[in-house]
Each structure stands twice: as C-alpha cells, then as structure tokens.
Amino acid sequence: MKNKIPVSINREHVLKLLSKGMRIDGRDLLNYRPISINFEVAGKADGSASVRFGDTYVMVGVKAEIGKPFPDTPGEGVLLVNAEFVPLASPDFEPGPPNEDAIELARVVDRGLRKGEVVDLKELCIVPGEKVWMLWVDIYILDHNGNLMDAAALASLAALMNTKLPEVKVEGEEIIKTGKFKPLNIKDYPIAVTLGKIGGSFIVDPLLDEEQLMDCRLTVITTKSGNICALQKSFSGTFSQGDVLKALNIAVEKGKELRDLLFSSFEKFSSSKA
Amino acid sequence: MSMVGGRRSLVIPGEIIVEGNFRAGLNTYLENGKIYSTVMGLAEIRGRVVSVIPIKSYYIPKVGDIVIGIVTDNSPTYWQVDINSPYMAILQVSDALPRPIDPAKENIRKYFDVGDVLLAEIALFDKLRSPLLKANGRGQGKLKGGILVEVSPAKVPRLIGKRGSMINMLKKELGCQIIVGQNGRVWINSVNEKLIDLAVKAVKIVDEEAQTRGLTERVKKFILKGKEKIDLESA
Amino acid sequence: MDEEIKLIDENGLRVDGRRFDELRPVRIEVGVLKNADGSALIVQGRTKILAAVYGPREIHPKHLSKPDRAVLRCRYHMAPFSVEDRKSPAPSRRETELSKVIREALEPAILLEKFPRTCIDVFVEVLEADGGTRCAGVTAASVALADAGIPMKDLVVGCAAGKVDGVVVVDLCDIEDKYGEVDVPVAYMPNKGLISLLQMDGILTMEEFEKALNLAIDGCKKIYEVQKAALKRKYDFTEKLKREADKSEE
C-alpha cells in the first residue's frame, strides 16, 4: 500500500532540508541520482535502450515500419513518439489509453527529437510520396519514482542510437529487403534536463516525494552545441524571467554531463559487441 | 525449534515444511498429514505446532493496536485515514478530539487536514466494515514535525526488540523521538536533520536485516559511526 | 515459403537445436521493481516478461468488492516493440482472453478469503515475445505474488507443449508456435499436482495429448525449481550478508 497523499510533515521536512541546500536522499540540489543506460534490451525491437535514474526505470523500443508519407512532406520519413504509463509502474497508473501526463511526456520527447534534428527525415524516404520509413519510438515506463521526463528523453535518444534499419532496394513497384542492416544516422544529441522549483530553490532529478511538492518545473532540451531546441513549463506555479535564464544555464551544463555519460555508455556497449 | 541444520528454514508458498504428527500454526495448512507453508518466510516448529514468520506482510488491524495514520479525506463528520493496510480506516469526530465539537458549526478540517499524520488506536474492526479509530487518548492525535518512514509490519516486533531492547537503544543512541506504530509506520523527530537522517537509515537496516543475528549490536555500531561523521562535519 | 520451414532436422533436433524434451534456458529475478508490492522478471529463451503485484488494496469502484474475499484482477499486455510488427498498445481481444486465463490459473492458488473487500492486481508486461508468453507470464506472476507476501497454497508454473513436424515437443518458441501444428499451454501447481490452465489449438490423438501433457508438466516441475531458487536467493539473509561481505572485501 502506498499513499498518494503527500504527507504534511514529510513536506515540511523536505522544505526545511532544501532551505539548507540538502535533500532527503543526501544529494546536492543539482545532482542526478546514479544513472545507468543499457542498450539493446528488447530483442524484437529495431533499437532499444533502458535508463535508470535511481529507482526510476524507463524502457524505449524503436520499431521501423514502411509506410506512406504525410501528403505535405512526401519526401520525408515519419517519427512517432508514444508513451505508455503501464499500471505495473506505479500504484497511481491506471490501465487505459494514455492520459494527459503520458501524452505531454511523449510530445515533449517528440519535440526534442524533432527540433533537435536527431535524424534527417529525408534520409528515411524510400520512394518519394509513396514509401518511407516510419520510426515508432515507444516509451515504456516500468517504475515511476520521479523525473520520468528526463529519463524518457534520454532512453529515447539512446534507443535511436541503437537502431538499425533494414537495407532496402527498390525494384519497380516492389521494396526488397536485402537482409542487411545499417545503423540509423544520428545527427545531433539533444538532452532533456528538467528543473523543478520548490520553495524558491531549483533542483534536478526530483524524487517522487519532491515532485509532489514542486511548484512548477521547466524541461529544457539542449543540443550538442548548447542551443535550446525545446522547452516545456508544467505544473501550476510560475517562474520569473531571472528563474528561466538561470534554469537554461543549468540545463546546458547538466545536459552536457548527461550527454557525456550517454556517449561513454554507448562506447562501452559498442566495444562489448565488437 | 528447528528442523534443518539447527536453524529456522526459509520456505516458499506451497512448500512442505514437515510430515507427521504436527499441528498447523500461523501461515501454514495441513493436508494429508503434511504441513505446507502459505507464504515466503521462516518456518519454525515449537512443540508440535508448525508456523511461518512471513518476510513481507500486510497490516491487518487488531483492536487496541496503536497505529500511525495519514488523513486522506474527510466528510463533515469523519476522516478517512490510511493506516498502511489493505483497509482504509475511519475516524469519527466524536472519537477524535479530547473535547467534543459540533461538526454542524465547525469545519472538522480545522483539526485534522488531508496529509496530516495521526497517532491513533484501533477501536473496532470486524473485516465487514472499515476499521474504526480513536485518537482522543493521551499522547494521541496529530504528530507535528519530524518525518514518517515505513517498514514491513512483520518487522515491527524486531524494531521494538525483546522488552524494547532495540527501540530503547535507538532512542538512547540517537537522542531522537521515535514512535513505532503496529502498522509499520515509524515517526522520527529531532532538531538535528542529520540525526533524523541517521535514524531513518538505522530503521531501514532493522527492516532489511530483521532475520539476522547480532542485529542490535550492528545497528548500534552503525549509529556510533554515523554520529562520529556528523560531529566531524559540524566541527 | 511457410510450408518449407523445417522444424525438426534429420537428427531430430529443433530449430534452436533443442531436443524434444528440452526447455529453453530460464532465468528469474525477484523484486526488480521498487513501486510494486511484489515483482519478478522472467527470461525464457528470448521471451522476456515483467510481472508486478499491487495489493491487497482498496478496490475502486467499491461495488466491485466481495464481502468474503479479495478480488483478483489480472492484465496481460504486450509492449508495442515486443513483436516483429509493432503492436498497437490498445488491448487486443487476444490480450483480454489471456488476461482472463492467467487470472484463472492463479486464482485457485491464492488464499483470497484472507483479505475480504480488497483487490489484488497482477500486471504482466511482455517486453519481448518469442513464444510461450502466457505460460512464462503465469510463472513470473506467481513469483511476484510470493514476493508481495500474498498467502498461497502453492506456486503456479506455466509451460507449454505442442506438436511440430509431427513430433511432440515441450516449450515452443515463436517459430514452432507459428508453423507447428499444435500448442498446449499448461499451468500447474507443483506441490498439489493440479492443473489450473489448459488450452489447445490443433489436432492431437489421445496418445499424443497424453505425451504433450506429461511433457508440459515435466517442464513445469523443472521451471518450479528455478522459481524456488530465485525466491530463496532473494530472501536468504545469511546468503545475502555473506555476499555483501564478499563485495566489501573486493
């Protein structure tokens, strides 16, 4: 039995600690929990990865299918992001179609991947106007213990880095798979960093207890060169202009840390495969 | 008291503990002369009675138990209280406060609000209806300050210890206020957050290692080490 | 093309090199999720499934509760990336049926009468499907129930048998399931010797069926040993302390 109600005394305790620059699990305000990134965790997917931030556990599988392009972009492939908050992950998740939190999460991750130009959609075109690759990025939340947004965005990027597309030849009307595969060409590495505001302090990577206390949060997605490619403010509180600028700077710095970790994890995985 | 190698043995649901002339105690059942476990836990035989101490358990309310609850909702005349059990408890206004109030004239949330932590007693429970609480006894009612942690209800006896040996050691060494509810909730308070943090960690050790020998001594060592570190940091 | 797939080679071995009575390697891990009251991961060949248990807890809406027992609810669900072609995450008719038979396979083992007016939720998420997912789902779910401390008369183990290229075999993988003739999934309570799930599609003679059932039950008994070892590994505290002591010495 877990209670959904934030316990009043625990709330006071968290706030008291924060005012002294401390957190309930002993971390500094701007430190992530221990992060692990694993690649190729679902054998039937064309690319997959799982990410753990402490007890938070997210898996992403990428499926490549051949489909028809959108009429307004006949020469481009399609990238689709979907998130499932399966009830196995939290006592608060219910079975059923994605709720607004799941939809928001999928759309923010989608925006980061798209505007961060992770893949050149033109490279996903097979026959203009007819056949293109459709990349389904399915985010699967397995254990919800806070900060799903950053974990899901990181896992999605990791899964795309691990994605291999079947090589195809066009012969007349037909598309023939040669049986060979080639890795997806990754152009940029946008990283999401969510800043939570609690009682005037900024924290990253909130625990569930902290998340329940946040006035509001700002998800900042930054590219490899340090540009901002997507933003999302959520929850009911407000930021000052100064808050926002401060948050952006933290996000660039933290984003770089996460990106370096992603690269070193991927390198380790690649060399273990070789 | 044991059957295998002179110690209590770990069993899983459906496992045969013993055959022959025995009686089925807690968390076991008898069938065709064999005694089976119904839970994951430590099997023990006392005399001819076989029982299993579960590793994980749920708090089933018992009249007279002191529990720590969290207010989750209220109506004009009662509060709904989460007591870390499969069953939500009810606290009627008439059983809640040291002096009577008139719910028609006052909003009862003024006394206990959603999210508040209460020290209460199980007044009535028959499994057919929600357990009823009372919170107007001495020391009962709202707990202020501090922090709330949870342990498995099965570990509560270990956390208290024989004649209070564990809990008294914790209070003495940590100098914190600690209240253990029978429902596996523990309330800890101190003016020093670092001591609260240390107390939380010590309680978690007891929860995780309840089955092991020499636990009280080990926890004591852990606390002394932790206190040294705190002293160093503040020095 | 389908007709040409050879499921049993000249040496009598199967597509993945197994003998007719050989299981795929089975690995079970207990307590892999923090939030759930109990959880288990099973990897059986390339089939990979997570099971989680929540409860006993209050049931909503309340009118679904039963005055004398807990209500068991079960949801079998496949991740979109668990199969060759992406599966829509909306529950299919197949998933609804499997949720029901898995629930009914577990129900007879659980002492539901211990928790009147509550519910116990079992979630089975297939992360990678390579045949035998309902059986592996039952196996994982019963371990997750034990991990959650739910009282049970016995564990429940799942294992399928079937017929491929005319041969009765145990624990079918996906190719055997797709191109083989018959699939007989079975769930079994090993200490009670009782069958709690039985399905079949395809034609078998009486003798073949008996052989298939025996193979499936033998498979269940072997997988039961893996369940047992996994649970004991997780909770053997002397073992755990020893391991931690070893770790700190390293």
Side-chain angles (χ1 to χ4, degrees):
Chain A
M1 291 287 300
K2 301 207 165 57
N3 57 292
K4 306 174 190 182
I5 307 283
V7 178
S8 60
I9 59 170
N10 287 9
R11 181 192 163 92
E12 286 154 23
H13 187 71
V14 170
L15 291 176
K16 204 156 86 187
L17 286 181
L18 282 174
S19 69
K20 297 182 178 175
M22 286 153 55
R23 291 172 78 172
I24 25 178
D25 60 353
R27 271 185 292 159
D28 290 336
L29 302 191
L30 297 180
N31 275 357
Y32 276 76
R33 288 167 284 181
I35 297 176
S36 70
I37 307 171
N38 284 297
F39 298 88
E40 221 163 278
V41 291
K44 295 264 164 129
D46 297 299
S48 60
S50 66
V51 165
R52 284 181 195 267
F53 287 1
D55 290 320
T56 285
Y57 183 18
V58 176
M59 186 182 270
V60 171
V62 177
K63 276 281 183 192
E65 287 178 346
I66 294 173
K68 229 176 143 52
F70 292 123
D72 53 339
T73 51
E76 288 183 9
V78 180
L79 183 74
L80 299 136
V81 182
N82 169 62
E84 292 292 317
F85 284 19
V86 285
L88 158 136
S90 162
D92 296 344
F93 292 172
E94 306 264 347
N99 64 7
E100 65 173 31
D101 290 333
I103 288 171
E104 183 191 37
L105 179 122
R107 285 180 58 83
V108 173
V109 172
D110 179 280
R111 235 177 288 156
L113 296 174
R114 205 176 291 280
K115 300 300 170 185
E117 296 179 346
V118 171
V119 284
D120 182 355
L121 294 177
K122 290 196 182 71
E123 287 179 12
L124 298 179
C125 179
I126 305 167
V127 181
E130 293 295 328
K131 301 274 192 223
V132 296
W133 282 113
M134 301 175 69
L135 293 183
W136 280 99
V137 178
D138 278 297
I139 299 165
Y140 230 56
I141 311 296
L142 296 177
D143 214 351
H144 175 25
N145 293 290
N147 199 17
L148 294 179
M149 190 69 91
D150 298 0
L154 191 61
S156 301
L157 178 56
L160 286 168
M161 288 163 74
N162 173 239
T163 298
K164 289 177 189 70
L165 288 183
E167 207 177 72
V168 291
K169 277 192 306 197
V170 184
E171 284 183 8
E173 291 285 283
E174 270 190 87
I175 309 261
I176 294 162
K177 290 186 181 169
T178 65
K180 283 189 206 149
F181 292 85
K182 60 169 196 223
L184 192 64
N185 192 4
I186 305 291
K187 303 274 188 189
D188 204 334
Y189 299 87
I191 300 288
V193 173
T194 300
L195 281 303
K197 197 177 128 187
I198 306 183
S201 313
F202 270 128
I203 59 166
V204 297
D205 191 28
L207 298 165
L208 210 50
D209 277 346
E210 295 170 329
E211 214 160 68
Q212 285 173 329
L213 300 180
M214 290 187 330
D215 305 318
C216 53
R217 65 175 191 199
L218 184 64
T219 300
V220 183
I221 310 187
T222 53
T223 62
K224 205 175 167 205
S225 51
N227 292 324
I228 301 150
C229 64
L231 285 175
Q232 180 86 347
K233 180 254 164 186
S234 42
F235 299 175
S236 320
T238 56
F239 290 107
S240 71
Q241 214 170 334
D243 281 344
V244 173
L245 295 177
K246 195 174 144 200
L248 295 186
N249 283 317
I250 298 169
V252 171
E253 195 186 312
K254 286 282 140 189
K256 193 176 171 309
E257 267 177 47
L258 292 187
R259 195 177 295 106
D260 288 344
L261 182 72
L262 176 65
F263 288 161
S264 64
S265 304
F266 191 63
E267 216 163 89
K268 220 179 275 167
F269 162 76
S270 304
S271 60
S272 75
K273 291 279 285 182
Chain B
M1 68 176 220
S2 80
M3 57 234 88
V4 191
R7 61 187 180 98
R8 295 183 289 187
S9 66
L10 185 63
V11 292
I12 62 170
E15 192 169 340
I16 297 166
I17 304 169
V18 71
E19 273 182 68
N21 183 22
F22 290 95
R23 276 189 292 128
L26 277 180
N27 302 309
T28 64
Y29 66 100
L30 174 72
E31 211 173 83
N32 301 325
K34 293 174 189 141
I35 296 200
Y36 298 82
S37 176
T38 60
V39 293
M40 182 85 206
L42 294 168
E44 61 173 26
I45 303 175
R46 284 176 191 269
R48 309 236 55 93
V49 181
V50 184
S51 54
V52 178
I53 309 158
I55 278 169
K56 274 195 194 169
S57 71
Y58 297 89
Y59 176 65
I60 302 298
K62 227 168 65 236
V63 172
D65 276 359
I66 299 294
V67 296
I68 298 177
I70 300 164
V71 177
T72 58
D73 200 0
N74 73 297
S75 85
T77 58
Y78 68 85
W79 292 270
Q80 183 182 287
V81 184
D82 167 3
I83 52 166
N84 193 34
S85 162
Y87 304 98
M88 277 284 179
I90 297 293
L91 176 62
Q92 304 278 4
V93 167
S94 53
D95 302 321
L97 300 160
R99 53 181 178 79
I101 62 158
D102 182 359
K105 290 187 184 134
E106 287 185 274
N107 182 352
I108 67 166
R109 273 215 185 185
K110 195 164 94 189
Y111 297 95
F112 303 141
D113 202 352
V114 170
D116 279 352
V117 178
L118 304 180
L119 188 65
E121 186 180 331
I122 307 286
L124 205 64
F125 180 56
D126 60 7
K127 273 199 184 180
L128 288 173
R129 270 162 301 164
S130 300
L132 286 183
L133 296 175
K134 68 186 259 327
N136 52 6
R138 222 178 126 211
Q140 296 176 353
K142 190 151 122 183
L143 294 173
K144 290 171 194 155
I147 186 164
L148 197 61
V149 290
E150 279 175 18
V151 299
S152 165
K155 311 289 173 60
V156 167
R158 190 66 197 89
L159 185 56
I160 291 167
K162 273 202 189 95
R163 288 187 296 275
S165 57
M166 179 70 84
I167 191 70
N168 290 336
M169 184 277 287
L170 289 173
K171 284 182 188 166
K172 181 169 163 257
E173 297 301 333
L174 289 157
C176 291
Q177 282 176 278
I178 306 176
I179 300 176
V180 182
Q182 287 297 323
N183 58 336
R185 289 220 177 99
V186 184
W187 177 80
I188 301 166
N189 197 16
S190 163
V191 284
N192 186 337
E193 289 90 16
K194 284 181 179 156
L195 280 179
I196 293 185
D197 188 48
L198 190 61
V200 170
K201 283 182 183 141
V203 167
K204 293 253 160 86
I205 292 176
V206 177
D207 186 26
E208 276 167 23
E209 300 178 12
Q211 273 80 6
T212 59
R213 281 161 208 269
L215 184 60
T216 313
E217 275 311 301
R218 230 175 23 257
V219 175
K220 190 171 169 180
K221 262 190 210 152
F222 170 82
I223 293 171
L224 293 177
K225 229 175 166 181
K227 277 200 327 201
E228 260 172 44
K229 219 180 129 201
I230 295 172
D231 288 343
L232 277 180
E233 278 168 11
S234 54
Chain C
M1 165 105 187
D2 292 1
E3 303 300 315
E4 289 161 25
I5 287 188
K6 223 173 151 207
L7 295 172
I8 304 283
D9 72 7
E10 52 280 1
N11 300 318
L13 294 180
R14 297 154 66 180
V15 279
D16 48 10
R18 282 184 290 155
R19 294 185 310 270
F20 75 98
D21 61 348
E22 200 177 332
L23 296 173
R24 293 173 288 180
V26 185
R27 179 166 66 88
I28 297 174
E29 280 173 47
V30 184
V32 288
L33 302 175
K34 168 98 186 318
N35 264 328
D37 295 312
S39 60
L41 170 76
I42 184 167
V43 182
Q44 186 160 352
R46 287 186 60 192
T47 287
K48 193 179 196 181
I49 297 172
L50 259 178
V53 170
Y54 284 90
R57 57 181 176 182
E58 290 246 315
I59 183 166
H60 297 286
K62 272 215 161 114
H63 69 264
L64 296 176
S65 74
K66 293 190 177 157
D68 57 340
R69 53 191 278 148
V71 173
L72 182 68
R73 300 191 291 196
C74 180
R75 180 182 190 253
Y76 166 98
H77 185 246
M78 299 182 90
F81 47 80
S82 62
V83 278
E84 288 308 330
D85 296 320
R86 179 181 185 269
K87 190 207 153 282
S88 155
S92 64
R93 291 169 63 84
R94 176 182 171 275
E95 283 167 304
T96 305
E97 185 207 333
L98 294 201
S99 299
K100 178 175 184 290
V101 296
I102 292 173
R103 186 187 77 227
E104 290 166 348
L106 298 169
E107 227 164 4
I110 305 173
L111 298 171
L112 292 167
E113 63 277 13
K114 293 260 185 193
F115 303 103
R117 301 189 301 113
T118 66
C119 74
I120 298 170
D121 283 305
V122 175
F123 300 112
V124 174
E125 286 290 342
V126 179
L127 302 176
E128 195 170 335
D130 190 34
T133 56
R134 84 195 64 184
C135 291
V138 167
T139 305
S142 105
V143 172
L145 284 161
D147 179 41
I150 308 281
M152 289 188 284
K153 284 188 218 134
D154 202 348
L155 292 188
V156 187
V157 206
C159 184
K163 186 171 149 188
V164 297
D165 275 2
V167 181
V168 178
V169 300
V170 73
D171 187 23
L172 282 69
C173 68
D174 195 34
I175 297 174
E176 292 176 321
D177 191 16
K178 266 200 193 99
Y179 301 108
E181 298 96 281
V182 189
D183 180 29
V184 188
V186 172
Y188 185 69
M189 292 157 65
N191 291 297
K192 315 289 286 181
L194 297 172
I195 293 164
S196 63
L197 179 154
L198 181 60
Q199 294 179 285
M200 178 166 124
D201 59 347
I203 294 172
L204 289 180
T205 65
M206 226 32 156
E207 289 79 42
E208 284 173 330
F209 175 76
E210 217 181 309
K211 198 173 171 198
L213 188 61
N214 280 330
L215 272 180
I217 289 175
D218 276 351
C220 287
K221 287 179 180 163
K222 286 178 194 156
I223 297 169
Y224 173 64
E225 294 304 320
V226 183
Q227 285 181 313
K228 201 166 155 179
L231 281 166
K232 294 209 171 177
R233 201 166 52 236
K234 164 88 186 183
Y235 286 111
D236 193 331
F237 286 90
T238 43
E239 275 288 305
K240 199 180 151 200
L241 285 179
K242 232 187 277 165
R243 277 202 306 275
E244 270 163 18
D246 290 347
K247 228 192 273 168
S248 59
E249 274 168 29
E250 270 167 24

